[in-house]
Amino acid sequence: MKILIAGATGFVGKYLIDYLLEKGYSINALSRSKQVSHHKNLVYFQWDIHQQYIETNAFENVDTIINLTGANIGEKRWTKERKSEIISSRIKSIDLLYQYVSENKFSINTFISSSAVGYYGAVTTDEMFKETAENGTDFLATVCKEWENKAMKFNDIGIRTVILRKGVIVGKDGGIVQKLAPLAKLGINVSLGSGKQYLPWIDIRDLVKLYEFILSNSKINGIFNAVSKENITMNEFSKTLLKSYKMRTILPNAPAFIIRLLFGEMSVMFLEGSKVSNEKLKRTGFSFEFDTIEKSLLL
């Protein structure tokens, strides 16, 4: 099977490419800059969302498209311009992929796209959100809704479409751990606000295994929460991260008002969070190897 990966050079993309190559897949990877591969089953192709361009031969003999594109939501303050970039980077990339597939009638069987648990809104409650829950009303929830609606265009033309609403991705060399590790290594408490907000998460090793599981199970279709079964709080995450560096702390949590001053509207990402169910995903037969935060960070 040959896979086309859009957004291949990010944290998840790099892990996923290595994992799928090891499993024997052939990969065409889309990159904004010219890159050279040193693996016989990996070829890079250039694309430019703003110029509405993809090297056409990137689609040659491709069976599945995996879409990982999107500007990092936690990288900068949410100015009006940054919000526009967050939305357009997700919407325009899918539109461009769809345009090339539909206009050239490429024989794509499966489209796997990203979303996030932010779909349910930035709230802290004890409600367990399943895939059937209503969409939230804040900025991130709106982004996720538009993101998913665009992805479902592939479903409308008869292509199997799978959307993963991902939690926070945990891996020692990327994502949330990479950002907080410098503080944790010094014994600084990395919990924010009350620390009672939930942190839906998934280990990067389980996430790439999930992609391969979907590739090899053609009956899987629709929207799934890609999260671990363990619904931990920010306090619990902070404690385990410190433990992974053999540290403890007596320092208090960073106050919520400081986080709001520093990050503005974006602070809801850090200060709010609810429980998210993975029961629908588990019913497909997928099993998590790193289903507790201790296994993820300490093993």
Side-chain angles (χ1 to χ4, degrees):
M1 189 184 293
K2 182 173 280 191
I3 316 297
L4 177 64
I5 300 182
T9 56
F11 173 45
V12 175
K14 290 175 181 176
Y15 259 90
L16 184 58
I17 285 174
D18 287 345
Y19 186 81
L20 293 181
L21 288 175
E22 188 180 315
K23 292 289 182 180
Y25 290 85
S26 294
I27 296 172
N28 289 352
L30 296 180
S31 173
R32 286 174 293 180
S33 58
K34 193 171 183 63
Q35 294 199 47
V36 178
S37 167
H38 300 290
H39 193 290
K40 65 177 182 178
N41 288 333
L42 171 63
V43 182
Y44 286 98
F45 295 89
Q46 284 187 272
W47 74 327
D48 189 314
I49 297 171
H50 302 294
Q51 297 296 322
Q52 293 287 287
Y53 168 76
I54 305 176
E55 285 188 67
T56 308
N57 51 349
F59 293 88
E60 188 175 348
N61 298 321
V62 165
D63 174 86
T64 297
I65 298 173
I66 296 177
N67 175 44
L68 301 171
T69 56
N72 188 329
I73 59 172
E75 192 174 275
K76 303 175 185 176
R77 283 179 71 101
W78 290 350
T79 61
K80 184 178 179 181
E81 292 75 17
R82 183 58 177 172
K83 280 184 171 183
S84 177
E85 185 181 358
I86 287 170
I87 294 174
S88 65
S89 64
R90 287 159 171 77
I91 303 307
K92 289 182 179 179
S93 59
I94 295 179
D95 275 342
L96 184 57
L97 290 166
Y98 177 82
Q99 176 190 325
Y100 269 71
V101 169
S102 59
E103 289 183 0
N104 295 284
K105 294 183 170 52
F106 292 126
S107 298
I108 305 298
N109 294 328
T110 302
F111 182 71
I112 307 174
S113 197
S114 300
S115 185
V117 294
Y119 176 93
Y120 305 112
V123 293
T124 301
T125 72
D126 281 324
E127 180 183 352
M128 179 78 76
F129 286 106
K130 298 181 179 180
E131 289 82 353
T132 52
E134 290 186 8
N135 183 217
T137 57
D138 55 73
F139 171 64
L140 282 186
T142 302
V143 170
C144 289
K145 182 65 174 178
E146 291 189 38
W147 206 2
E148 294 183 13
N149 285 344
K150 286 292 183 181
M152 291 306 290
K153 288 170 64 177
F154 284 86
N155 184 70
D156 295 339
I157 58 172
I159 294 173
R160 175 173 72 119
T161 302
V162 182
I163 297 173
L164 298 178
R165 289 179 184 160
K166 301 172 190 171
V168 171
I169 299 167
V170 175
K172 291 190 177 179
D173 52 356
I176 189 172
V177 173
Q178 186 181 54
K179 288 183 178 180
L180 297 180
L183 297 175
K185 287 176 181 177
L186 296 174
I188 297 173
N189 187 356
V190 296
S191 192
L192 309 175
S194 71
K196 295 178 181 178
Q197 66 273 34
Y198 290 99
L199 189 74
W201 64 280
I202 184 169
D203 189 286
I204 184 67
R205 292 163 290 186
D206 277 330
L207 180 58
V208 296
K209 189 174 81 168
L210 173 58
Y211 274 103
E212 203 275 327
F213 181 80
I214 295 168
L215 291 173
S216 57
N217 289 268
S218 60
K219 291 183 180 179
I220 295 174
N221 193 45
I223 299 171
F224 296 87
N225 291 330
V227 295
S228 167
K229 70 173 184 181
E230 185 183 51
N231 285 283
I232 59 170
T233 63
M234 187 68 191
N235 281 339
E236 290 166 335
F237 175 80
S238 175
K239 182 179 177 180
T240 308
L241 184 62
L242 284 161
K243 187 177 177 182
S244 73
Y245 297 112
K246 298 181 170 52
M247 300 296 290
R248 286 182 173 182
T249 187
I250 57 171
L251 296 173
N253 293 8
F257 79 90
I258 296 288
I259 304 304
R260 293 190 185 100
L261 282 174
L262 288 173
F263 298 103
E265 184 183 353
M266 190 172 76
S267 62
V268 296
M269 281 178 51
F270 312 120
L271 299 175
E272 304 291 347
S274 291
K275 297 177 180 178
V276 177
S277 169
N278 72 357
E279 285 302 315
K280 182 181 177 184
L281 181 58
K282 281 166 48 177
R283 287 198 299 270
T284 67
F286 180 75
S287 60
F288 288 79
E289 184 177 353
F290 302 94
D291 54 0
T292 69
I293 198 65
E294 293 229 339
K295 283 183 185 177
S296 178
L297 292 177
L298 302 181
L299 293 183

